[in-house]
Amino acid sequence: MGERQANSHIHSLQALRALACIAVMLSHSAFISSSGINFVDGFGKWGVSVFLVLSGFVLMYSYYGKKRIEKASVFDNIKFAWKKIRGIYPLHIITTMAFVVFMFLGDHKTPVLPAVCRIVLNMLLLQEWIPFTERSINGVAWYLCVSAFCYFVFPWILLFYEKRKIRLPIRGIFVLFFLQIVIGFIGGLLPNQSLSDSLFLGSDMTEWLVYKHPISRSLDFLIGCNIGYIYVNEKQGIKHSYMCRIMSAVAVCLSIIGIVIYVINTPASVQGKIDSFVHTERWWTYVLLFIPSACLFVYIFAHNEWRLSAMFTNKLTIYLGDISKYLFLIHYVVFYYISAVIIYIFGNGFDHIYGPWLKICFGIIISIVLSHIWNRLTLVTDKFKSSDIR
């Protein structure tokens, strides 16, 4: 019974991972209304917050009290991070190289020195530590940079919690949330426009520090670790049906409110592009709006008995959750190539109007198929490796 319950929890969390991945893909479709507002962009911000909180939760749930990590050092932590990241790393290299081609094509070729710097930093998963312009070659690979750092620090976090036996982890969540506010406020003060003509430094410094920097986004991860700590130490979960319904309703409402507020505070785009660096006052919309609902969703889906998680947990969402780490990297390449082909054949205007629909209708399906193929290849490779060891 205990093993079946553990599996059901894993399945429900994989379903949540699938929902977050779908939200991210929708946001990257660049679906723009007639008024120039990107209504789906907020879904992506919510999805990323869920990913990071869920990552911290799952690691704490998987390692706390199980004596799987007994020591931590720089060298040991690098080994741990590499163990976690190596399964996705080959795909990261392939998807990155799929974009490198465009750095040397067309009228806007990247100079050799900045191109080499970007490629090397991307290969080392260090690209988001320095505010270079267009840091991650595959636009979503910044998440891998953040994940690598989170995996690196996790052994220290785990041993700290196991030794200290934290009594009020909920207080830690509020402290971390306050730190996010502090970092966001600092990000809103950065001189974004003054760097817009620099060959190396990016113009959107606020987004870099608040939304993509490994240290700032590791706070989401740490919040997830706290939620995982609460979950593994609670003697009895919330079983009362009315409390389950209230928490589920609050989670949904906070998500909707966050997305609506994000849309209201997002400037209208021109041909699908938003010059966010001229709106530094929006720093609080990048992360703070979505962390509360992300925390609730992770906690709710961890208790698979609740209706909200049961509603979305099925074979399809579980499988999409299983391949989401591949889908996350692949879909951005597919979407980019779809736009490139449309622009080459029909022009920018056609892509602006019909490109998002083609990405949603065909790009997502193509991405799922490619992720499925890569997943099968990975399973076959792992099987051969295990047979060689024997």
Side-chain angles (χ1 to χ4, degrees), residues 9 18 43-44 78 102-104 112 122 158 166 169 181 183 221 233 238 280 283 304 313 321 347 374:
H9 294 325
F43 287 100
I78 290 175
F102 292 94
M103 295 171 64
F104 303 101
V112 175
N122 274 263
L158 177 67
I166 307 300
I181 295 175
I183 291 176
F221 175 83
N233 285 285
I238 300 176
T280 57
W283 61 266
N304 195 34
T313 304
W374 183 266

Side-chain angles (χ1 to χ4, degrees), residues 349-364:
F350 189 93
D351 177 61
H352 178 61
I353 297 174
Y354 300 104
W357 290 106
L358 292 173
K359 292 173 187 175
I360 292 174
C361 296
F362 299 104
I364 292 179

